[in-house]
């Protein structure tokens, strides 16, 4: 303190250095007093202060970098999304040709915007309660092949995830991926050692590897999407798209897609649920080779169900068998297990037909169905489950008032501005569908038209519930192509009417759908 005081007095023309010297002297004295009690405390304290300072500076630098990246990404997306946003208010004004052009622009924009926007578009295609039907149809085309990342990154990711060299795990590893999606790509390989130093019977596996930086990219894009969606609510001409609501519901589904370890858990649960079924299966995760960025699972041979839906002529017996298997599998997920595959488009369904030596018996064997890509699933609460099944029964019976009331109960926060008008309009439609002329309308088409009324009246439906409804419609669509005489909605109604929901539903469903 004396030295500091002397320095401050002798160098009085430098007031600021004097004050600084005095402060430093006082700090040194404090440290000296502390050091008298514990000779090591001074060093520890200084070290901890230095460590805290380093952590603070690192955090500050990373925050600045993250902000700059977000800002640049937001600018890029603003430019990219501008044409579709500017055209949206006039989509219904300048005729059908302008609307088709706008739909093409939206589709192309989402393709260019990155994985988060592609997945949002795929998810939005399943929400006719939020978006017009033609927009949902166009967005459903986003199930396309995504760009592939390099083999060098694949190798690095696998070795980092499992702490072993690629050659120590796999005997054969195909560098060229067999498929690539917006989240990950899949390689075919032959496993050598499941555990370090332990030989394993050679097994062909599919290795799903997450794309580089996709997690951070999706997280940043979601922040930007949320901001854009909130701004859209302030613009009357774009508010009808209800982007804020869709983005918030989409976030839950997006998180389940990025974590491949969660997909492995879903596979294990589906395998257990269908353990007694001989004609339905799922890929088996190969533990312990499971990581949030890498998933090793059994490689499943088969032909896409689209081949049988659109490409295969004749063979009605095989197609009818496929229609029954797919429908029963979905109904088991919905009615018995309450664990539904929520991405059941034809690209995620394989069909395997036993190859008999006799060509005459080739299509007499019962087909086997394999469900892939179970990252997106849905589970319903008890009340939602009851309301949804009552809704399905009402649609099948053409009971308009019950269907409308069930739809209004399918959300915990219902914001429909005029529920009575919605119920009245639904009742009028169902009255027509109950006439001999309206009886020709298929129950699935009734439900599609009902979802259109849900959108126009701004009836809120929780994301999980609507996902189940649309999954049923998607399945019903390709089932109708496989076997036009088979009615999914009628089958659902029959099962519900023959089962006591509270006591013996599971027993009844399992008995009626014995594998």
């Amino acid at each position: 303190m004396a030295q500091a005081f002397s320095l401050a007095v002798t160098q009085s023309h430098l007031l600021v250095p004097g004050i600084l010297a005095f402060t430093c002297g006082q700090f040194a004295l404090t440290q000296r007093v502390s050091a008298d009690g514990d000779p090591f405390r001074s060093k520890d304290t200084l070290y901890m202060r230095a460590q805290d300072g380093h952590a603070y500076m690192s955090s500050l630098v990373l925050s600045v970098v993250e902000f700059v990246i977000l800002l640049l990404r937001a600018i890029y997306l603003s430019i990219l999304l501008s044409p579709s946003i500017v055209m949206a208010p006039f989509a219904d004004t300048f005729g059908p040709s302008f609307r088709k052009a706008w739909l093409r622009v939206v589709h192309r924009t989402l393709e260019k915007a990155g994985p988060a926007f592609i997945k949002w578009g795929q998810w939005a295609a399943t929400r006719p309660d939020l978006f017009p039907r033609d927009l949902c149809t166009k967005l459903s085309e986003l199930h396309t092949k995504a760009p592939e990342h390099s083999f060098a990154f694949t190798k690095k990711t696998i070795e980092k995830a499992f702490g072993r060299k690629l050659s120590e795990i796999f005997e054969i590893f195909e560098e060229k991926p067999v498929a690539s999606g917006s989240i990950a790509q899949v390689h075919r390989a032959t496993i050598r050692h499941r555990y370090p130093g332990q030989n394993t019977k050679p097994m062909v596996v599919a290795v799903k590897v997450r794309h580089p930086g996709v997690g951070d990219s999706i997280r940043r894009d979601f922040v930007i999407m949320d901001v854009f969606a909130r701004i859209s609510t302030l613009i009357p001409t774009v508010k009808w798209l209800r982007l804020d609501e869709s983005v918030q519901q989409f976030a839950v589904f997006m998180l389940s897609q990025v974590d491949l370890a969660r997909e492995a858990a879903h596979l294990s649960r589906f395998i257990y649920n269908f353990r007694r079924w001989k004609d339905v299966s799922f890929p088996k995760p190969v533990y312990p080779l499971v990581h949030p960025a890498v998933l090793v699972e059994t490689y499943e041979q088969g032909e896409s169900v689209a081949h049988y839906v659109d490409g295969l002529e004749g063979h009605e017996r095989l197609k009818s068998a496929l229609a029954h298997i797919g429908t029963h599998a979905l109904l088991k997920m919905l009615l018995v297990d309450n664990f539904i595959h929520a991405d059941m488009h034809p690209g995620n369904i394989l069909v395997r037909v036993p190859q008999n030596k006799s060509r005459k018996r080739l299509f007499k064997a019962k087909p086997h169905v394999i469900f892939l890509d179970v990252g997106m699933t849905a589970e319903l609460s008890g009340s939602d489950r009851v309301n949804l099944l009552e809704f399905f029964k009402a649609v099948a019976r053409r009971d308009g008032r019950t269907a409308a009331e069930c739809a209004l109960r399918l959300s915990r926060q219902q914001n429909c501005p005029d529920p009575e008008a919605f119920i009245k309009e639904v009742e009028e439609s169902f009255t027509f569908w109950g006439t001999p002329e309206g009886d020709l309308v298929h129950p699935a088409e009734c439900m599609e038209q009902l979802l259109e009324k849900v959108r126009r009246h701004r009836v809120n439906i929780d994301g999980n519930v609507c996902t189940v409804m649309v999954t049923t419609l998607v399945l019903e669509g390709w089932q109708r192509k496989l076997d036009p005489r088979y009615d999914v909605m009628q089958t659902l109604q029959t099962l519900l009417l023959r089962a006591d929901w509270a006591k013996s539903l599971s027993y009844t469903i399992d008995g009626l759908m014995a594998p």
Side-chain angles (χ1 to χ4, degrees):
M1 288 180 65
Q3 289 176 349
F5 181 78
S6 300
L7 182 61
V9 171
T10 55
Q11 306 291 336
S12 57
H13 59 284
L14 298 174
L15 183 60
V16 174
I19 296 173
L20 180 61
F22 183 82
T23 305
C24 291
Q26 191 174 24
F27 175 75
L29 178 64
T30 304
Q31 294 298 317
R32 178 66 177 273
V33 172
S34 300
D36 290 339
D38 185 355
F40 300 102
R41 184 173 178 182
S42 177
K43 293 181 181 179
D44 292 344
T45 304
L46 289 174
Y47 177 75
M48 291 299 296
R49 287 173 183 266
Q51 228 180 11
D52 293 344
H54 176 73
Y56 175 77
M57 289 302 299
S58 299
S59 176
L60 181 62
V61 170
L62 289 175
S63 298
V64 171
V65 171
E66 181 72 14
F67 175 77
V68 171
I69 294 174
L70 272 174
L71 182 62
L72 294 176
R73 178 68 174 161
I75 293 172
Y76 169 76
L77 290 174
S78 299
I79 297 172
L80 185 64
L81 298 172
S82 292
S84 55
I85 292 175
V86 171
M87 293 172 68
F90 310 102
D92 295 325
T93 305
F94 295 146
S97 59
F98 183 84
R99 186 172 181 83
K100 289 181 180 179
W102 175 68
L103 293 174
R104 287 195 299 269
V105 169
V106 171
H107 180 272
R108 187 63 175 164
T109 298
L110 294 178
E111 279 187 330
K112 291 289 186 181
F117 287 86
I118 292 175
K119 296 303 292 185
W120 177 83
Q122 292 173 350
W123 176 84
T126 68
R127 298 304 305 268
D129 61 314
L130 296 177
F131 303 102
R133 188 181 301 180
D134 57 350
L135 180 59
C136 292
T137 302
K138 191 66 179 177
L139 293 180
S140 66
E141 299 174 8
L142 286 169
H143 293 283
T144 56
K145 182 177 175 64
E148 303 168 357
H149 63 249
S150 67
F151 172 69
F153 178 81
T154 292
K155 181 179 178 183
K156 179 182 176 182
T157 303
I158 294 174
E159 293 178 348
K160 182 179 179 182
F162 303 130
R164 289 189 281 166
K165 295 290 186 182
L166 190 71
S167 58
E168 294 177 2
I169 306 174
F170 303 103
E171 185 176 353
I172 301 173
F173 195 96
E174 297 182 7
E175 297 187 9
K176 184 173 178 59
V178 296
S180 181
S182 57
I183 301 297
Q185 66 186 37
V186 181
H187 295 260
R188 184 164 47 194
T190 302
I191 198 167
R192 180 195 298 270
H193 300 296
R194 183 184 294 194
Y195 298 92
Q198 183 180 16
N199 292 329
T200 306
K201 183 180 179 181
M203 177 174 55
V204 179
V205 295
V207 185
K208 184 178 288 190
V209 183
R210 199 166 59 192
H211 289 311
V214 70
D216 291 335
S217 174
I218 288 175
R219 176 179 54 78
R220 294 189 188 105
D221 284 353
F222 178 72
V223 172
I224 297 170
M225 290 166 66
D226 191 48
V227 172
F228 281 161
R230 292 177 185 276
I231 293 175
S232 71
T233 60
L234 305 176
I235 306 174
T237 53
V238 187
K239 189 176 181 179
W240 62 276
L241 285 174
R242 299 165 71 182
L243 295 177
D244 58 328
E245 183 179 341
S246 69
V247 168
Q248 290 170 9
Q249 294 185 10
F250 164 70
V252 179
F253 290 96
M254 192 70 256
L255 293 175
S256 63
Q257 293 275 302
V258 179
D259 188 352
L260 300 183
R262 181 176 295 185
E263 181 177 347
H266 291 170
L267 283 172
S268 298
R269 186 169 174 183
F270 277 120
I271 290 169
Y272 178 80
N273 290 343
F274 284 85
R275 63 193 180 279
R276 296 193 300 128
W277 287 52
K278 297 179 180 179
D279 48 15
V280 173
S281 65
F282 299 79
K284 299 178 181 62
V286 182
Y287 287 99
L289 301 178
V290 172
H291 186 270
V294 183
L295 170 60
V296 180
E297 60 188 20
T298 54
Y299 187 84
E300 302 293 337
Q301 299 281 357
E303 190 82 38
S304 171
V305 75
H307 170 72
Y308 299 90
V309 172
D310 300 321
L312 190 64
E313 296 294 334
H315 306 292
E316 280 73 18
R317 184 180 180 279
L318 174 65
K319 290 184 175 182
S320 179
L322 284 176
H324 283 72
I325 293 171
T327 301
H328 289 172
L330 174 65
L331 295 180
K332 174 176 167 53
M333 294 177 193
L334 174 61
L335 303 177
V336 180
D337 305 326
N338 189 26
F339 191 64
I340 303 103
H341 188 327
D343 197 13
M344 207 182 287
H345 62 84
N348 285 338
I349 303 173
L350 298 181
V351 177
R352 193 158 55 218
V353 180
Q355 298 296 317
N356 296 325
K357 294 182 179 179
S358 173
R359 294 182 62 86
K360 292 181 180 180
R361 298 182 60 192
L362 179 61
F363 289 105
K364 289 186 178 181
K366 195 172 183 179
H368 186 90
V369 177
I370 306 105
F371 293 98
L372 309 175
D373 198 6
V374 299
M376 187 181 292
T377 58
E379 294 181 74
L380 304 179
S381 66
S383 59
D384 284 343
R385 201 176 176 198
V386 172
N387 286 332
L388 181 61
L389 295 177
E390 288 296 326
F391 171 83
F392 281 139
K393 282 199 292 186
V395 171
R397 290 171 169 173
R398 310 296 172 92
D399 182 356
R401 172 165 284 275
T402 302
E405 290 173 348
C406 288
L408 289 169
R409 291 197 298 267
L410 290 175
S411 176
R412 295 175 183 83
Q413 296 180 348
Q414 188 54 256
N415 298 320
C416 177
D418 193 349
E420 285 301 321
F422 171 69
I423 293 174
K424 182 178 179 181
E425 185 173 337
V426 171
E427 272 193 301
E428 291 174 355
S429 298
F430 273 73
T431 300
F432 167 73
W433 292 331
T435 63
E437 183 180 343
D439 192 53
L440 299 176
V441 182
H442 196 277
E445 294 178 7
C446 296
M447 197 162 82
E448 289 178 358
Q449 295 179 28
L450 179 58
L451 288 175
E452 178 65 22
K453 301 181 193 304
V454 165
R455 184 186 67 83
R456 285 192 292 101
H457 285 271
R458 292 187 239 173
V459 176
N460 288 33
I461 295 181
D462 287 345
N464 275 354
V465 176
C466 191
T467 298
V468 173
M469 295 169 68
V470 174
T471 298
T472 305
L473 284 177
V474 170
L475 181 69
E476 193 280 334
W478 60 267
Q479 300 292 51
R480 204 188 312 180
K481 291 181 181 179
L482 288 170
D483 187 355
R485 297 168 299 175
Y486 190 63
D487 190 339
V488 175
M489 299 299 296
Q490 190 63 41
T491 303
L492 177 61
Q493 180 190 17
T494 302
L495 291 175
L496 292 175
L497 291 177
R498 291 178 62 181
D500 181 353
W501 167 254
K503 297 179 181 178
S504 58
L505 178 62
S506 298
Y507 176 80
T508 304
I509 299 300
D510 281 339
L512 293 173
M513 301 187 300

